[in-house]
């Protein structure tokens, strides 16, 4: 007898009720910690049950299971969905995932007929189907929130089509623009984000159900029927691909990360604009916080948190790319790590969108501070150079040099260009006339920018109307 015969076994648990026929004993206790996914994939319960109901109905229609069993399965699944929705369902980690928790409960309800539900499918195609249904619904929800954010931005643009402010490059005053024009820039960004989500939704809308473990099934199933029942455009064309790729999740995370980057840029501007040094805008009280020691503080914490949470969403994308990059076909257990980053990113993006909508809807603009800040930085210098080109026929590079000399003169005198005398201007370029002063006001500057997409107030008003048609009314 070996000296180890009487030693305690590493694992004396019974074989798993899910896959135990192949094994004499159950998994090590460490596997109880690392293996189950039910703690997070229970979020798929509605999608899982919808897929099972569609699969059962198809099995009946194909005479693979009896109508009686199909009816019992469907009724039991509806009851389970109600239990979970009401918080009356006990999820068991010993059953690993949402699929087996539902199936075990179904067996409690209807007996052995529950075991017929898994005919012609695998947990591999089940989870891929659930996942696509969940991501599809998440995309639809994101689109609604992005549209609401666009509506808030468009409303601000409409109110402030003629409110002048500095336009910046390198965070230095460049040229005058209108606040409405600035808001419409973000409308366009979020419009492209919506388009990317829509593209991802279209590509992912193929049903994996019936691909089974990886090779399809010998049962005479109808994958087109289950695809149609679940709102897919059709079944996936290759069973290996159907269960092994998560590119649709990566596309969602990629678009979510880019959307978050756009939100972060908007948040950064709100943080800058609400500072005492700028004082361009005021955020609603509900999206700001105070200080525990400095009673004067009014911090743009919601915007700062959006800026910070963007890193989490970028990280979720990187995490899944790294997880998938080395996996051979078909399914690998590594793919269980695809859900938590997605759930976290989707939840985070949703709350960031909600905060952004609230901030923009409640934003008030300090038009006086915006206009006052245009007194610094020579914002009409380009207008002067354009006048020299247009009226005197100068090459732009020569006009640029003359304008630079006049800016230097004004800077040395502590004045704006418009405060220079005509004589002083003519000392640099003798052909300058008094007409130059008409183009050196910020209002004339923005009014002159009438090229398509420019900042002229009449343009902004036209673009507001166009944006409402494109993004809010559903017109092309």
């Amino acid at each position: 007898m070996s000296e180890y015969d009487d030693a305690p076994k590493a694992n004396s648990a019974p074989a798993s009720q899910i896959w135990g026929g192949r094994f004499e004993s159950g998994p090590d206790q460490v596997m109880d910690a690392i293996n189950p996914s039910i703690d997070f994939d229970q979020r798929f319960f509605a999608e899982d049950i919808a897929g099972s109901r569609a699969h059962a109905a198809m099995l009946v229609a194909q005479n693979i299971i009896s109508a009686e069993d199909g009816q019992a399965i469907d009724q039991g699944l509806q009851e389970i969905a109600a239990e979970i929705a009401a918080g009356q369902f006990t999820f068991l980690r010993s059953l690993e995932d949402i699929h087996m928790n539902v199936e075990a409960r179904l067996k409690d309800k209807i007996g052995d007929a529950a075991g017929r539900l898994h005919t012609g499918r695998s947990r591999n195609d089940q989870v891929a189907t659930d996942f696509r249904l969940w991501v599809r619904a998440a995309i639809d929800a994101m689109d609604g929130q992005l549209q609401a954010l666009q509506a808030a931005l468009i409303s601000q643009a409409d109110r402030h089509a003629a409110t002048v402010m500095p336009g910046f490059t390198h965070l230095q005053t460049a040229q005058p623009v209108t606040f409405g024009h600035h808001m419409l820039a973000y409308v366009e960004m979020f419009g492209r984000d919506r388009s990317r989500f829509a593209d991802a939704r279209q590509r992912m809308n193929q049903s994996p159900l019936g691909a089974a473990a990886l090779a399809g099934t010998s049962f005479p199933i109808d994958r087109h029927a289950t695809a149609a029942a679940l709102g897919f455009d059709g079944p996936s064309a290759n069973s290996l691909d159907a269960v092994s790729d998560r590119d649709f999740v990566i596309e969602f995370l990629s678009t979510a990360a880019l959307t978050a980057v756009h939100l972060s840029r908007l948040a950064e501007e709100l943080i800058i604009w609400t500072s005492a040094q700028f004082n361009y805008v005021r955020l609603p009280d509900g999206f700001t916080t105070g200080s525990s020691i400095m009673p004067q503080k009014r911090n743009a914490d919601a915007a700062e948190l959006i800026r910070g949470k963007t890193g989490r969403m970028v990280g979720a994308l990187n995490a899944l790319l790294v997880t998938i990059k080395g996996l051979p076909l078909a399914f690998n257990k590594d793919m269980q790590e695809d859900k938590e980053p997605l759930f976290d990113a989707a939840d985070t993006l949703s709350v960031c969108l909600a905060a952004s909508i609230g901030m923009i809807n409640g934003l008030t603009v300090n038009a006086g501070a915006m206009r006052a800040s245009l007194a610094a930085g020579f914002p009409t210098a380009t207008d002067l150079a354009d006048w020299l080109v247009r009226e005197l026929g100068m090459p732009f590079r020569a006009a640029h040099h003359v304008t630079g000399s006049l800016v230097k003169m004004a800077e040395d005198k502590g004045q704006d260009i418009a405060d220079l005398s005509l004589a002083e201007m003519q000392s640099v370029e003798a052909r300058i006339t008094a007409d130059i002063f008409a183009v050196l006001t910020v209002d004339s500057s923005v009014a002159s920018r009438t090229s398509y997409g420019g900042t002229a107030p009449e343009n902004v008003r036209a673009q507001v109307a166009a944006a409402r048609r494109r993004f809010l009314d559903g017109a092309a």
Side-chain angles (χ1 to χ4, degrees):
M1 175 181 288
S2 164
E3 62 180 301
Y4 299 110
D5 283 353
D6 293 329
K9 304 298 183 184
N11 180 10
S12 58
S16 169
Q17 61 178 292
I18 302 171
W19 37 261
R22 173 66 176 81
F23 297 83
E24 293 182 359
S25 63
D28 190 275
Q29 289 182 354
V30 173
M31 287 295 287
D32 291 339
I34 196 174
N35 190 50
S37 60
I38 188 59
D39 294 344
F40 48 86
D41 71 15
Q42 62 185 263
R43 290 184 66 160
F44 285 155
F45 84 87
E47 291 78 15
D48 193 72
I49 289 172
S52 291
R53 292 183 67 195
H55 186 70
M58 179 275 296
L59 293 176
V60 171
Q62 295 298 108
N63 295 313
I64 297 172
I65 66 174
S66 69
E68 292 77 15
D69 283 346
Q71 183 177 6
I73 288 169
D74 190 74
Q75 180 62 38
L77 289 171
Q78 291 186 66
E79 292 173 3
I80 292 168
E83 290 175 0
I84 297 175
Q88 298 170 350
F89 189 97
T90 301
F91 292 101
L92 300 177
R93 299 186 88 246
S94 60
L95 293 173
E96 294 188 8
D97 56 35
I98 185 61
H99 322 300
M100 297 312 302
N101 270 266
V102 169
E103 185 174 318
R105 179 61 177 144
L106 185 63
K107 184 177 181 181
D108 290 341
K109 284 180 169 292
I110 68 172
D112 290 341
R116 302 189 189 283
L117 174 60
H118 211 52
T119 306
R121 73 174 185 182
S122 160
R123 284 192 293 174
N124 293 356
D125 63 333
Q126 235 186 310
V127 69
T129 302
D130 295 356
F131 217 172
R132 286 177 186 256
L133 291 172
W134 196 94
V135 172
R136 191 176 70 187
I139 287 174
D140 293 343
M142 295 304 167
D143 184 73
Q145 286 189 288
L146 280 165
Q147 187 181 53
L149 179 54
Q150 286 181 301
L153 290 162
I154 290 169
S155 293
Q156 289 286 4
D158 194 15
R159 282 194 290 273
H160 296 285
T163 301
V164 293
M165 67 174 290
F168 297 96
T169 61
H170 308 278
L171 204 55
Q172 298 186 57
T173 299
Q175 293 175 286
V177 297
T178 71
F179 187 71
H181 189 60
H182 201 114
M183 292 292 96
L184 288 178
Y186 284 104
V187 172
E188 294 299 321
M189 291 184 205
F190 295 126
R192 291 192 295 275
D193 292 329
R194 290 179 66 189
S195 177
R196 278 182 281 268
F197 272 127
D199 287 346
R201 190 190 195 283
Q202 182 177 9
R203 264 187 298 278
M204 62 157 282
N205 203 35
Q206 304 292 320
S207 173
L209 193 57
L214 75 162
T217 177
S218 60
F219 290 97
I221 63 172
D222 185 349
R223 293 189 63 211
H224 288 85
T226 50
L230 294 170
F232 289 110
D233 295 331
S236 52
N238 184 282
S239 59
L240 279 166
D241 174 60
V243 300
S244 65
D245 208 343
R246 292 296 185 266
D247 55 357
F248 65 97
V249 184
I250 292 170
E251 276 201 87
F252 177 92
L253 289 174
S254 175
T255 302
L258 185 49
T259 301
V261 167
H262 287 155
L263 290 174
S264 184
R265 295 186 73 182
L266 175 59
E268 172 70 3
E269 295 205 296
L270 293 176
I271 293 163
I272 293 170
W273 292 344
T274 55
S275 68
Q277 289 72 22
F278 276 76
N279 194 29
Y280 284 1
V281 301
R282 182 180 177 90
L283 294 175
D285 287 348
F287 293 92
T288 59
T289 65
S291 165
S292 63
I293 190 172
M294 296 170 284
Q296 83 279 12
K297 294 297 293 295
R298 198 169 184 278
N299 301 322
D301 278 7
E304 291 177 14
L305 286 165
I306 290 169
R307 189 177 57 183
K309 289 177 183 295
T310 295
R312 284 173 58 177
M313 287 177 268
V314 173
L317 170 62
N318 289 336
L320 188 53
L321 285 169
V322 172
T323 298
I324 294 294
K325 72 173 181 63
L327 298 185
L329 299 183
F331 183 83
N332 297 270
K333 196 68 171 184
D334 314 49
M335 294 164 74
Q336 186 164 293
E337 295 300 307
D338 57 7
K339 296 166 193 66
E340 288 180 287
L342 173 79
F343 292 150
D344 183 70
D347 292 345
T348 302
L349 181 57
S350 181
V351 74
C352 288
L353 283 166
S356 299
I357 293 164
M359 285 190 292
I360 297 300
N361 272 327
L363 194 72
T364 56
V365 173
N366 186 345
M370 288 182 175
R371 180 176 286 274
S373 68
L374 283 162
F378 309 103
T380 60
T382 306
D383 298 276
L384 192 157
D386 288 346
W387 185 90
L388 295 173
V389 171
R390 187 170 54 249
E391 300 298 329
L392 304 185
M394 262 188 201
F396 183 80
R397 287 302 170 201
H400 188 285
H401 181 78
V402 169
T403 301
S405 298
L406 291 171
V407 168
K408 179 66 167 61
M409 180 185 292
E411 187 175 48
D412 290 344
K413 293 170 66 67
Q415 296 177 342
D416 188 46
I417 303 172
D419 297 325
L420 294 174
S421 69
L422 179 59
E424 287 172 323
M425 290 189 182
Q426 288 175 337
S427 70
V428 176
E429 171 51 58
R431 293 177 293 166
I432 293 177
T433 70
D435 292 342
I436 188 67
F437 293 103
V439 302
L440 296 182
T441 69
V442 294
D443 293 300
S444 65
S445 176
V446 295
S448 71
R449 308 293 169 179
T450 56
S451 59
Y452 183 79
T455 191
E458 63 184 87
N459 276 19
V460 174
R461 293 186 183 97
Q463 289 299 325
V464 163
R468 285 196 171 115
R469 289 192 301 271
R470 289 165 59 203
F471 299 120
L472 306 185
D473 300 336

